[in-house]
Amino acid sequence: MISLSPTEVERRFALMGIPNRFTETERADFDTTPIVDAKDVVIVFPTPRALSGLNILNLRKIVGTDPRKPPSFFDHPWYLEEPFAQQDCEPGWHFLCTNVLPDSVSQPIHYISSLRDSGLELPSAIEVVLMLFLHFAGTGEQLLQRKHTWCRDQASLDRFVTVGAFGRNGLFLSAHPGMYASRGLGICAKLMR
């Protein structure tokens, strides 16, 4: 398990130019990291209640689209007018698998229903983006280089958002119909609390 404290999240936010900070009360509330029992590597991180634009569009403005200055977004404008890109991250703890679950690869989005009894659900796109960027800011490692994860966010044309392929060209956001399947697409599950 990779666990980030509020202080470490703030340090990594500062490295990326993200202004969000925790209150003293939140620091005390998040002082103890919950322990999770998971078969896969999980990253655990909190986000503050005062989100101040902790969403995809604002992060894109802050970190940019220049692949020479990672972390960055791949410059693909399809989502600039999509409502999901304006949704702030939910405050509190986030528990996400750092890689797609092997059994979820090449499965449509509805595969998640078979994982719910195991306490797993789809993450939001902003949660995945934050996981990837926070991890990169602290370690220089790009997770999901060759994979995308389904996200619970819906896009126009009855498609679901996917996030991944975080490589030398930046982080890709895509959208696919729910029945779409690909060898490069699976689920970085979020652990339900």
Side-chain angles (χ1 to χ4, degrees), residues 74-123:
F74 178 74
D75 192 12
H76 201 295
W78 75 268
Y79 58 87
L80 297 179
E81 301 297 322
E82 295 280 347
F84 81 87
Q86 300 171 32
Q87 292 177 355
D88 286 335
C89 187
E90 296 173 3
W93 285 108
H94 305 273
F95 304 82
L96 281 79
C97 294
T98 59
N99 204 349
V100 296
L101 302 174
D103 292 346
S104 71
V105 175
S106 297
Q107 297 292 333
I109 193 169
H110 305 297
Y111 182 76
I112 192 63
S113 62
S114 68
L115 301 174
R116 287 199 176 101
D117 288 343
S118 299
L120 302 174
E121 63 184 354
L122 288 173

Tab-separated table of all heavy atoms in Angstrom, residues 74-123:
chain	number	residue	atom	x	y	z
A	74	PHE	N	-2.319	15.018	-22.427
A	74	PHE	CA	-2.231	14.996	-23.885
A	74	PHE	C	-3.215	16.043	-24.398
A	74	PHE	O	-4.349	16.121	-23.933
A	74	PHE	CB	-2.588	13.603	-24.415
A	74	PHE	CG	-2.568	13.524	-25.912
A	74	PHE	CD1	-1.366	13.502	-26.597
A	74	PHE	CD2	-3.749	13.488	-26.624
A	74	PHE	CE1	-1.346	13.436	-27.986
A	74	PHE	CE2	-3.751	13.427	-28.005
A	74	PHE	CZ	-2.532	13.402	-28.692
A	75	ASP	N	-2.776	16.856	-25.330
A	75	ASP	CA	-3.591	17.965	-25.819
A	75	ASP	C	-4.668	17.469	-26.778
A	75	ASP	O	-4.509	17.482	-27.990
A	75	ASP	CB	-2.708	19.010	-26.500
A	75	ASP	CG	-3.441	20.307	-26.761
A	75	ASP	OD1	-4.554	20.485	-26.226
A	75	ASP	OD2	-2.903	21.161	-27.493
A	76	HIS	N	-5.752	17.026	-26.185
A	76	HIS	CA	-6.897	16.525	-26.950
A	76	HIS	C	-8.122	17.262	-26.431
A	76	HIS	O	-8.528	17.064	-25.291
A	76	HIS	CB	-7.036	15.012	-26.743
A	76	HIS	CG	-7.808	14.336	-27.817
A	76	HIS	ND1	-9.138	14.579	-28.053
A	76	HIS	CD2	-7.424	13.406	-28.720
A	76	HIS	CE1	-9.545	13.829	-29.049
A	76	HIS	NE2	-8.525	13.110	-29.477
A	77	PRO	N	-8.740	18.126	-27.254
A	77	PRO	CA	-9.786	19.023	-26.758
A	77	PRO	C	-11.187	18.441	-26.626
A	77	PRO	O	-12.106	19.147	-26.224
A	77	PRO	CB	-9.787	20.148	-27.801
A	77	PRO	CG	-9.375	19.468	-29.066
A	77	PRO	CD	-8.384	18.413	-28.652
A	78	TRP	N	-11.397	17.163	-26.887
A	78	TRP	CA	-12.757	16.629	-26.928
A	78	TRP	C	-13.521	16.838	-25.620
A	78	TRP	O	-14.736	17.012	-25.621
A	78	TRP	CB	-12.754	15.138	-27.297
A	78	TRP	CG	-12.315	14.225	-26.191
A	78	TRP	CD1	-11.053	13.779	-25.958
A	78	TRP	CD2	-13.128	13.669	-25.159
A	78	TRP	NE1	-11.022	12.972	-24.855
A	78	TRP	CE2	-12.282	12.885	-24.328
A	78	TRP	CE3	-14.486	13.748	-24.827
A	78	TRP	CZ2	-12.744	12.199	-23.219
A	78	TRP	CZ3	-14.944	13.057	-23.717
A	78	TRP	CH2	-14.081	12.297	-22.927
A	79	TYR	N	-12.851	16.857	-24.481
A	79	TYR	CA	-13.537	16.911	-23.191
A	79	TYR	C	-13.643	18.318	-22.601
A	79	TYR	O	-14.187	18.485	-21.512
A	79	TYR	CB	-12.864	15.971	-22.187
A	79	TYR	CG	-11.402	16.256	-21.945
A	79	TYR	CD1	-11.008	17.174	-20.978
A	79	TYR	CD2	-10.415	15.620	-22.683
A	79	TYR	CE1	-9.665	17.436	-20.751
A	79	TYR	CE2	-9.083	15.874	-22.449
A	79	TYR	CZ	-8.708	16.784	-21.500
A	79	TYR	OH	-7.382	17.043	-21.271
A	80	LEU	N	-13.167	19.316	-23.302
A	80	LEU	CA	-13.156	20.675	-22.750
A	80	LEU	C	-14.552	21.218	-22.449
A	80	LEU	O	-14.709	22.073	-21.577
A	80	LEU	CB	-12.407	21.628	-23.680
A	80	LEU	CG	-10.923	21.312	-23.871
A	80	LEU	CD1	-10.283	22.310	-24.829
A	80	LEU	CD2	-10.188	21.274	-22.542
A	81	GLU	N	-15.549	20.727	-23.129
A	81	GLU	CA	-16.930	21.172	-22.895
A	81	GLU	C	-17.772	20.115	-22.189
A	81	GLU	O	-18.979	20.283	-22.035
A	81	GLU	CB	-17.594	21.550	-24.233
A	81	GLU	CG	-16.887	22.661	-24.996
A	81	GLU	CD	-16.888	23.982	-24.239
A	81	GLU	OE1	-17.897	24.310	-23.600
A	81	GLU	OE2	-15.864	24.692	-24.306
A	82	GLU	N	-17.143	19.037	-21.761
A	82	GLU	CA	-17.874	17.944	-21.113
A	82	GLU	C	-18.071	18.253	-19.622
A	82	GLU	O	-17.129	18.673	-18.945
A	82	GLU	CB	-17.107	16.627	-21.254
A	82	GLU	CG	-16.986	16.130	-22.680
A	82	GLU	CD	-18.241	15.427	-23.173
A	82	GLU	OE1	-19.126	15.092	-22.348
A	82	GLU	OE2	-18.330	15.205	-24.394
A	83	PRO	N	-19.289	18.055	-19.091
A	83	PRO	CA	-19.556	18.343	-17.671
A	83	PRO	C	-18.656	17.592	-16.695
A	83	PRO	O	-18.273	18.141	-15.663
A	83	PRO	CB	-21.023	17.936	-17.493
A	83	PRO	CG	-21.627	18.065	-18.855
A	83	PRO	CD	-20.524	17.687	-19.806
A	84	PHE	N	-18.286	16.338	-17.001
A	84	PHE	CA	-17.467	15.580	-16.044
A	84	PHE	C	-16.128	16.277	-15.782
A	84	PHE	O	-15.563	16.157	-14.691
A	84	PHE	CB	-17.233	14.146	-16.527
A	84	PHE	CG	-16.136	14.014	-17.554
A	84	PHE	CD1	-14.811	13.839	-17.160
A	84	PHE	CD2	-16.422	14.067	-18.909
A	84	PHE	CE1	-13.797	13.728	-18.111
A	84	PHE	CE2	-15.421	13.952	-19.856
A	84	PHE	CZ	-14.108	13.780	-19.456
A	85	ALA	N	-15.602	16.992	-16.758
A	85	ALA	CA	-14.287	17.628	-16.620
A	85	ALA	C	-14.320	18.816	-15.653
A	85	ALA	O	-13.270	19.280	-15.213
A	85	ALA	CB	-13.773	18.066	-17.985
A	86	GLN	N	-15.527	19.288	-15.335
A	86	GLN	CA	-15.684	20.416	-14.418
A	86	GLN	C	-16.040	19.972	-12.997
A	86	GLN	O	-16.125	20.795	-12.093
A	86	GLN	CB	-16.777	21.344	-14.937
A	86	GLN	CG	-16.483	21.913	-16.308
A	86	GLN	CD	-17.674	22.650	-16.866
A	86	GLN	OE1	-18.453	23.239	-16.136
A	86	GLN	NE2	-17.825	22.613	-18.177
A	87	GLN	N	-16.233	18.678	-12.796
A	87	GLN	CA	-16.640	18.172	-11.476
A	87	GLN	C	-15.433	18.058	-10.560
A	87	GLN	O	-14.443	17.401	-10.892
A	87	GLN	CB	-17.316	16.813	-11.611
A	87	GLN	CG	-18.639	16.884	-12.314
A	87	GLN	CD	-19.265	15.515	-12.511
A	87	GLN	OE1	-18.672	14.494	-12.209
A	87	GLN	NE2	-20.480	15.502	-13.022
A	88	ASP	N	-15.541	18.715	-9.402
A	88	ASP	CA	-14.462	18.649	-8.420
A	88	ASP	C	-14.388	17.259	-7.797
A	88	ASP	O	-15.387	16.555	-7.678
A	88	ASP	CB	-14.693	19.675	-7.301
A	88	ASP	CG	-14.416	21.099	-7.752
A	88	ASP	OD1	-13.630	21.285	-8.704
A	88	ASP	OD2	-14.975	22.034	-7.149
A	89	CYS	N	-13.198	16.896	-7.383
A	89	CYS	CA	-12.982	15.632	-6.687
A	89	CYS	C	-13.715	15.662	-5.349
A	89	CYS	O	-13.739	16.691	-4.673
A	89	CYS	CB	-11.487	15.429	-6.458
A	89	CYS	SG	-11.069	13.824	-5.796
A	90	GLU	N	-14.286	14.540	-4.981
A	90	GLU	CA	-14.940	14.442	-3.675
A	90	GLU	C	-13.879	14.545	-2.590
A	90	GLU	O	-12.800	13.957	-2.711
A	90	GLU	CB	-15.675	13.109	-3.555
A	90	GLU	CG	-16.814	12.943	-4.522
A	90	GLU	CD	-17.405	11.542	-4.490
A	90	GLU	OE1	-16.964	10.707	-3.667
A	90	GLU	OE2	-18.295	11.279	-5.303
A	91	PRO	N	-14.154	15.286	-1.509
A	91	PRO	CA	-13.163	15.380	-0.429
A	91	PRO	C	-13.087	14.080	0.364
A	91	PRO	O	-14.017	13.283	0.362
A	91	PRO	CB	-13.705	16.521	0.439
A	91	PRO	CG	-15.174	16.522	0.190
A	91	PRO	CD	-15.354	16.068	-1.240
A	92	GLY	N	-11.961	13.878	1.025
A	92	GLY	CA	-11.797	12.696	1.871
A	92	GLY	C	-10.753	11.743	1.329
A	92	GLY	O	-9.954	12.094	0.453
A	93	TRP	N	-10.774	10.534	1.868
A	93	TRP	CA	-9.814	9.504	1.475
A	93	TRP	C	-10.200	8.869	0.144
A	93	TRP	O	-11.378	8.654	-0.133
A	93	TRP	CB	-9.744	8.414	2.532
A	93	TRP	CG	-8.996	8.804	3.758
A	93	TRP	CD1	-9.516	9.078	4.986
A	93	TRP	CD2	-7.582	8.972	3.893
A	93	TRP	NE1	-8.519	9.411	5.866
A	93	TRP	CE2	-7.315	9.346	5.217
A	93	TRP	CE3	-6.507	8.847	3.005
A	93	TRP	CZ2	-6.028	9.591	5.686
A	93	TRP	CZ3	-5.225	9.086	3.476
A	93	TRP	CH2	-4.994	9.454	4.795
A	94	HIS	N	-9.176	8.516	-0.631
A	94	HIS	CA	-9.350	7.824	-1.907
A	94	HIS	C	-8.433	6.602	-1.894
A	94	HIS	O	-7.249	6.710	-1.556
A	94	HIS	CB	-9.000	8.737	-3.086
A	94	HIS	CG	-9.779	10.007	-3.065
A	94	HIS	ND1	-11.020	10.130	-3.638
A	94	HIS	CD2	-9.518	11.204	-2.481
A	94	HIS	CE1	-11.477	11.362	-3.434
A	94	HIS	NE2	-10.581	12.023	-2.732
A	95	PHE	N	-8.971	5.459	-2.252
A	95	PHE	CA	-8.244	4.185	-2.262
A	95	PHE	C	-8.367	3.599	-3.660
A	95	PHE	O	-9.423	3.086	-4.015
A	95	PHE	CB	-8.850	3.205	-1.259
A	95	PHE	CG	-8.913	3.710	0.154
A	95	PHE	CD1	-9.938	4.550	0.574
A	95	PHE	CD2	-7.950	3.335	1.067
A	95	PHE	CE1	-9.998	5.012	1.877
A	95	PHE	CE2	-8.003	3.786	2.380
A	95	PHE	CZ	-9.024	4.632	2.785
A	96	LEU	N	-7.296	3.658	-4.443
A	96	LEU	CA	-7.351	3.187	-5.824
A	96	LEU	C	-6.233	2.192	-6.115
A	96	LEU	O	-5.093	2.385	-5.678
A	96	LEU	CB	-7.207	4.363	-6.800
A	96	LEU	CG	-8.441	5.210	-7.051
A	96	LEU	CD1	-8.657	6.184	-5.935
A	96	LEU	CD2	-8.301	5.938	-8.358
A	97	CYS	N	-6.576	1.160	-6.873
A	97	CYS	CA	-5.558	0.239	-7.363
A	97	CYS	C	-4.677	0.986	-8.356
A	97	CYS	O	-5.175	1.777	-9.154
A	97	CYS	CB	-6.205	-0.967	-8.058
A	97	CYS	SG	-7.159	-2.008	-6.932
A	98	THR	N	-3.377	0.739	-8.295
A	98	THR	CA	-2.448	1.478	-9.144
A	98	THR	C	-2.349	0.922	-10.555
A	98	THR	O	-1.736	1.538	-11.412
A	98	THR	CB	-1.038	1.500	-8.527
A	98	THR	OG1	-0.582	0.160	-8.371
A	98	THR	CG2	-1.030	2.224	-7.199
A	99	ASN	N	-2.952	-0.220	-10.784
A	99	ASN	CA	-2.947	-0.811	-12.112
A	99	ASN	C	-4.309	-1.445	-12.361
A	99	ASN	O	-5.063	-1.694	-11.426
A	99	ASN	CB	-1.842	-1.867	-12.240
A	99	ASN	CG	-1.413	-2.066	-13.678
A	99	ASN	OD1	-2.053	-1.588	-14.613
A	99	ASN	ND2	-0.322	-2.785	-13.866
A	100	VAL	N	-4.592	-1.723	-13.622
A	100	VAL	CA	-5.870	-2.364	-13.932
A	100	VAL	C	-5.855	-3.793	-13.413
A	100	VAL	O	-4.820	-4.464	-13.418
A	100	VAL	CB	-6.190	-2.328	-15.445
A	100	VAL	CG1	-6.354	-0.902	-15.934
A	100	VAL	CG2	-5.152	-3.049	-16.258
A	101	LEU	N	-6.985	-4.245	-12.926
A	101	LEU	CA	-7.112	-5.613	-12.456
A	101	LEU	C	-6.990	-6.554	-13.651
A	101	LEU	O	-7.682	-6.360	-14.665
A	101	LEU	CB	-8.452	-5.806	-11.755
A	101	LEU	CG	-8.715	-4.879	-10.559
A	101	LEU	CD1	-10.135	-5.063	-10.038
A	101	LEU	CD2	-7.691	-5.114	-9.463
A	102	PRO	N	-6.123	-7.559	-13.584
A	102	PRO	CA	-5.888	-8.428	-14.749
A	102	PRO	C	-7.163	-9.021	-15.348
A	102	PRO	O	-7.297	-9.074	-16.575
A	102	PRO	CB	-4.977	-9.529	-14.191
A	102	PRO	CG	-4.267	-8.882	-13.054
A	102	PRO	CD	-5.273	-7.926	-12.448
A	103	ASP	N	-8.099	-9.449	-14.515
A	103	ASP	CA	-9.332	-10.050	-15.034
A	103	ASP	C	-10.252	-9.045	-15.714
A	103	ASP	O	-11.177	-9.434	-16.427
A	103	ASP	CB	-10.101	-10.753	-13.915
A	103	ASP	CG	-9.371	-11.982	-13.400
A	103	ASP	OD1	-8.418	-12.443	-14.070
A	103	ASP	OD2	-9.746	-12.481	-12.331
A	104	SER	N	-10.005	-7.752	-15.500
A	104	SER	CA	-10.872	-6.729	-16.079
A	104	SER	C	-10.433	-6.297	-17.477
A	104	SER	O	-11.175	-5.615	-18.182
A	104	SER	CB	-10.931	-5.503	-15.166
A	104	SER	OG	-9.699	-4.788	-15.193
A	105	VAL	N	-9.239	-6.693	-17.887
A	105	VAL	CA	-8.722	-6.314	-19.206
A	105	VAL	C	-9.582	-6.941	-20.295
A	105	VAL	O	-9.997	-8.098	-20.196
A	105	VAL	CB	-7.243	-6.729	-19.355
A	105	VAL	CG1	-6.729	-6.444	-20.769
A	105	VAL	CG2	-6.384	-6.010	-18.326
A	106	SER	N	-9.870	-6.152	-21.307
A	106	SER	CA	-10.700	-6.569	-22.450
A	106	SER	C	-12.157	-6.813	-22.069
A	106	SER	O	-12.878	-7.521	-22.768
A	106	SER	CB	-10.128	-7.819	-23.135
A	106	SER	OG	-8.856	-7.537	-23.669
A	107	GLN	N	-12.578	-6.219	-20.956
A	107	GLN	CA	-13.973	-6.346	-20.529
A	107	GLN	C	-14.684	-4.998	-20.709
A	107	GLN	O	-14.079	-3.945	-20.520
A	107	GLN	CB	-14.050	-6.746	-19.055
A	107	GLN	CG	-13.454	-8.095	-18.747
A	107	GLN	CD	-14.270	-9.231	-19.344
A	107	GLN	OE1	-15.466	-9.123	-19.550
A	107	GLN	NE2	-13.597	-10.341	-19.628
A	108	PRO	N	-15.968	-5.014	-21.048
A	108	PRO	CA	-16.724	-3.761	-21.112
A	108	PRO	C	-16.911	-3.179	-19.709
A	108	PRO	O	-16.632	-3.848	-18.706
A	108	PRO	CB	-18.054	-4.170	-21.740
A	108	PRO	CG	-18.181	-5.624	-21.445
A	108	PRO	CD	-16.794	-6.177	-21.369
A	109	ILE	N	-17.400	-1.972	-19.635
A	109	ILE	CA	-17.523	-1.274	-18.354
A	109	ILE	C	-18.408	-2.024	-17.362
A	109	ILE	O	-18.185	-1.963	-16.153
A	109	ILE	CB	-18.029	0.169	-18.549
A	109	ILE	CG1	-17.835	0.977	-17.257
A	109	ILE	CG2	-19.464	0.195	-19.026
A	109	ILE	CD1	-18.056	2.462	-17.399
A	110	HIS	N	-19.376	-2.742	-17.849
A	110	HIS	CA	-20.315	-3.421	-16.954
A	110	HIS	C	-19.667	-4.571	-16.174
A	110	HIS	O	-20.294	-5.135	-15.277
A	110	HIS	CB	-21.542	-3.890	-17.736
A	110	HIS	CG	-22.188	-2.745	-18.471
A	110	HIS	ND1	-22.745	-1.665	-17.818
A	110	HIS	CD2	-22.311	-2.495	-19.785
A	110	HIS	CE1	-23.187	-0.798	-18.713
A	110	HIS	NE2	-22.940	-1.278	-19.914
A	111	TYR	N	-18.424	-4.899	-16.492
A	111	TYR	CA	-17.686	-5.905	-15.728
A	111	TYR	C	-17.593	-5.507	-14.257
A	111	TYR	O	-17.479	-6.354	-13.387
A	111	TYR	CB	-16.287	-6.094	-16.322
A	111	TYR	CG	-15.471	-7.145	-15.624
A	111	TYR	CD1	-15.721	-8.498	-15.848
A	111	TYR	CD2	-14.463	-6.798	-14.736
A	111	TYR	CE1	-14.972	-9.468	-15.197
A	111	TYR	CE2	-13.710	-7.768	-14.081
A	111	TYR	CZ	-13.965	-9.098	-14.319
A	111	TYR	OH	-13.241	-10.065	-13.675
A	112	ILE	N	-17.670	-4.219	-13.978
A	112	ILE	CA	-17.570	-3.740	-12.593
A	112	ILE	C	-18.642	-4.371	-11.714
A	112	ILE	O	-18.425	-4.569	-10.517
A	112	ILE	CB	-17.610	-2.192	-12.502
A	112	ILE	CG1	-17.215	-1.708	-11.099
A	112	ILE	CG2	-18.966	-1.650	-12.888
A	112	ILE	CD1	-15.823	-2.031	-10.672
A	113	SER	N	-19.789	-4.709	-12.272
A	113	SER	CA	-20.855	-5.301	-11.455
A	113	SER	C	-20.407	-6.625	-10.829
A	113	SER	O	-20.862	-6.978	-9.742
A	113	SER	CB	-22.136	-5.491	-12.277
A	113	SER	OG	-21.900	-6.373	-13.349
A	114	SER	N	-19.483	-7.331	-11.472
A	114	SER	CA	-18.987	-8.590	-10.899
A	114	SER	C	-17.978	-8.342	-9.777
A	114	SER	O	-17.627	-9.264	-9.046
A	114	SER	CB	-18.349	-9.457	-11.991
A	114	SER	OG	-17.155	-8.862	-12.461
A	115	LEU	N	-17.510	-7.127	-9.625
A	115	LEU	CA	-16.513	-6.802	-8.600
A	115	LEU	C	-17.114	-6.139	-7.362
A	115	LEU	O	-16.456	-6.014	-6.346
A	115	LEU	CB	-15.448	-5.868	-9.191
A	115	LEU	CG	-14.670	-6.404	-10.393
A	115	LEU	CD1	-13.757	-5.311	-10.951
A	115	LEU	CD2	-13.885	-7.642	-10.016
A	116	ARG	N	-18.360	-5.721	-7.454
A	116	ARG	CA	-18.967	-4.973	-6.329
A	116	ARG	C	-19.068	-5.800	-5.054
A	116	ARG	O	-18.920	-5.276	-3.962
A	116	ARG	CB	-20.328	-4.421	-6.740
A	116	ARG	CG	-20.154	-3.257	-7.691
A	116	ARG	CD	-21.386	-2.376	-7.776
A	116	ARG	NE	-21.088	-1.240	-8.628
A	116	ARG	CZ	-21.458	-1.123	-9.892
A	116	ARG	NH1	-22.176	-2.075	-10.459
A	116	ARG	NH2	-21.141	-0.053	-10.589
A	117	ASP	N	-19.301	-7.111	-5.193
A	117	ASP	CA	-19.366	-7.966	-4.001
A	117	ASP	C	-18.015	-8.046	-3.291
A	117	ASP	O	-17.941	-8.393	-2.122
A	117	ASP	CB	-19.842	-9.372	-4.362
A	117	ASP	CG	-21.326	-9.413	-4.707
A	117	ASP	OD1	-22.045	-8.441	-4.361
A	117	ASP	OD2	-21.764	-10.401	-5.324
A	118	SER	N	-16.945	-7.719	-4.014
A	118	SER	CA	-15.601	-7.694	-3.432
A	118	SER	C	-15.268	-6.320	-2.847
A	118	SER	O	-14.135	-6.075	-2.459
A	118	SER	CB	-14.562	-8.048	-4.500
A	118	SER	OG	-14.790	-9.328	-5.012
A	119	GLY	N	-16.250	-5.413	-2.834
A	119	GLY	CA	-16.028	-4.085	-2.277
A	119	GLY	C	-15.309	-3.136	-3.222
A	119	GLY	O	-14.642	-2.194	-2.779
A	120	LEU	N	-15.451	-3.353	-4.531
A	120	LEU	CA	-14.781	-2.515	-5.518
A	120	LEU	C	-15.806	-1.775	-6.360
A	120	LEU	O	-16.907	-2.275	-6.611
A	120	LEU	CB	-13.895	-3.376	-6.419
A	120	LEU	CG	-12.817	-4.202	-5.704
A	120	LEU	CD1	-12.115	-5.119	-6.693
A	120	LEU	CD2	-11.828	-3.302	-4.990
A	121	GLU	N	-15.416	-0.582	-6.803
A	121	GLU	CA	-16.276	0.214	-7.671
A	121	GLU	C	-15.409	0.982	-8.655
A	121	GLU	O	-14.182	0.987	-8.556
A	121	GLU	CB	-17.147	1.170	-6.848
A	121	GLU	CG	-16.377	2.199	-6.057
A	121	GLU	CD	-17.277	3.068	-5.175
A	121	GLU	OE1	-18.507	2.957	-5.254
A	121	GLU	OE2	-16.717	3.864	-4.409
A	122	LEU	N	-16.055	1.656	-9.604
A	122	LEU	CA	-15.327	2.474	-10.571
A	122	LEU	C	-14.909	3.790	-9.923
A	122	LEU	O	-15.703	4.428	-9.238
A	122	LEU	CB	-16.188	2.772	-11.792
A	122	LEU	CG	-16.465	1.626	-12.745
A	122	LEU	CD1	-17.482	2.053	-13.806
A	122	LEU	CD2	-15.181	1.147	-13.407
A	123	PRO	N	-13.688	4.239	-10.178
A	123	PRO	CA	-13.274	5.559	-9.696
A	123	PRO	C	-13.807	6.640	-10.629
A	123	PRO	O	-14.234	6.351	-11.747
A	123	PRO	CB	-11.746	5.480	-9.790
A	123	PRO	CG	-11.514	4.589	-10.972
A	123	PRO	CD	-12.621	3.552	-10.903
